[in-house]
Amino acid sequence: DQQVKQNSPSLSVQEGRISILNCDYTNSMFDYFLWYKKYPAEGPTFLISISSIKDKNEDGRFTVFLNKSAKHLSLHIVPSQPGDSAVYFCAAIVANAGGTSYGKLTFGQGTILTVHP
Amino acid sequence: KAGVTQTPRYLIKTRGQQVTLSCSPISGHRSVSWYQQTPGQGLQFLFEYFSETQRNKGNFPGRFSGRQFSNSRSEMNVSTLELGDSALYLCASSPTRGTGELFFGEGSRLTVL
């Protein structure tokens, strides 16, 4: 049961343009969402997060949007740079309740972003 | 601050053998989690330890086990290795539980022949 899905395995974008990475989830218990970036031969690094009480969070070139009713979130990168080329994982967690899901990150399959110069 | 350190970085085993992977978290971090990354399944949660206690476990068979020591260092063990256990095993640490903001190591790449 894939509770977090990234339906686009890859995305190719021209430098300077916007990159939009999408993620859908099914578990309504998730209350905190994160994006991680992963370069080859390195571990994932935390990029940006959003609480379920918000619909937008911005950090420099990166903005995450959350649509709770649609159970959908997206990551916007503007402007895209060649150094942004990496695998992007969306992840979700039950952060504010106990139970068996607490503390466990559920990841999507990842989207390979390639930014062309 | 030193990052999360995982050893060994690469290893090759044969079916039926067992393997132990080690993780040293960032100093002061008390929560350690383990994830398995494979091309087909993405990143999957194995287990989480906090204060030497397993707090959460993913949907993996009992061949996968782990522990955490009093200095927060953690080990995971896989017994009776199968070909499908070939994967990148990632350890992550965080100062507390539940925020999801994890600091990952570079991983241990296990190949089972």
Side-chain angles (χ1 to χ4, degrees):
Chain A
D1 175 28
Q2 194 73 24
Q3 297 186 54
V4 178
K5 292 182 184 179
Q6 294 175 255
N7 291 317
S8 298
S10 62
L11 175 67
S12 183
V13 170
Q14 206 66 32
E15 181 179 6
R17 306 294 290 268
I18 184 172
S19 295
I20 300 177
L21 297 102
N22 293 303
C23 179
D24 298 296
Y25 63 96
T26 58
N27 188 344
S28 57
M29 291 291 291
F30 290 141
D31 52 15
Y32 201 71
F33 303 89
L34 308 96
W35 285 92
Y36 280 81
K37 179 169 74 173
K38 186 179 186 300
Y39 293 117
E42 293 184 13
T45 55
F46 168 73
L47 194 55
I48 192 169
S49 62
I50 186 167
S51 165
S52 60
I53 62 172
K54 295 186 175 181
D55 55 17
K56 177 182 173 182
N57 188 27
E58 200 169 346
D59 184 2
R61 297 186 297 114
F62 302 90
T63 302
V64 57
F65 296 91
L66 175 63
N67 182 333
K68 278 187 65 178
S69 60
K71 293 191 173 66
H72 177 83
L73 64 155
S74 61
L75 174 68
H76 292 211
I77 307 174
V78 183
S80 301
Q81 299 173 354
D84 296 329
S85 298
V87 181
Y88 288 78
F89 292 96
C90 118
I93 193 170
V94 177
N96 291 311
T100 58
S101 294
Y102 184 68
K104 166 188 170 182
L105 265 183
T106 301
F107 283 88
Q109 299 286 79
T111 297
I112 302 170
L113 173 66
T114 304
V115 180
H116 298 284
Chain B
K1 254 187 185 177
V4 176
T5 304
Q6 290 188 246
T7 56
R9 290 290 314 279
Y10 302 92
L11 66 166
I12 299 173
K13 294 284 187 179
T14 57
R15 279 181 296 175
Q17 287 187 309
Q18 75 164 15
V19 66
T20 299
L21 308 176
S22 180
C23 173
S24 293
I26 292 172
S27 177
H29 286 194
R30 296 169 61 195
S31 173
V32 174
S33 304
W34 289 88
Y35 289 81
Q36 181 196 65
Q37 186 185 10
T38 58
Q41 300 294 321
L43 275 152
Q44 292 193 290
F45 173 79
L46 279 157
F47 17 68
E48 180 211 2
Y49 288 88
F50 186 82
S51 295
E52 301 177 65
T53 302
Q54 187 179 91
R55 304 289 178 156
N56 215 331
K57 190 176 192 304
N59 296 325
F60 280 83
R63 301 184 296 107
F64 291 80
S65 63
R67 57 179 175 169
Q68 186 182 32
F69 302 96
S70 59
N71 61 0
S72 294
R73 193 177 68 84
S74 177
E75 288 180 348
M76 68 162 282
N77 184 278
V78 188
S79 62
T80 319
L81 284 166
E82 300 177 359
L83 294 178
D85 297 333
S86 295
L88 181 66
Y89 290 88
L90 291 158
C91 170
S93 73
S94 64
T96 59
R97 298 188 66 215
T99 67
E101 294 176 27
L102 305 180
F103 295 80
F104 281 88
E106 293 178 317
S108 293
R109 170 76 63 186
L110 171 65
T111 302
V112 182
L113 303 176

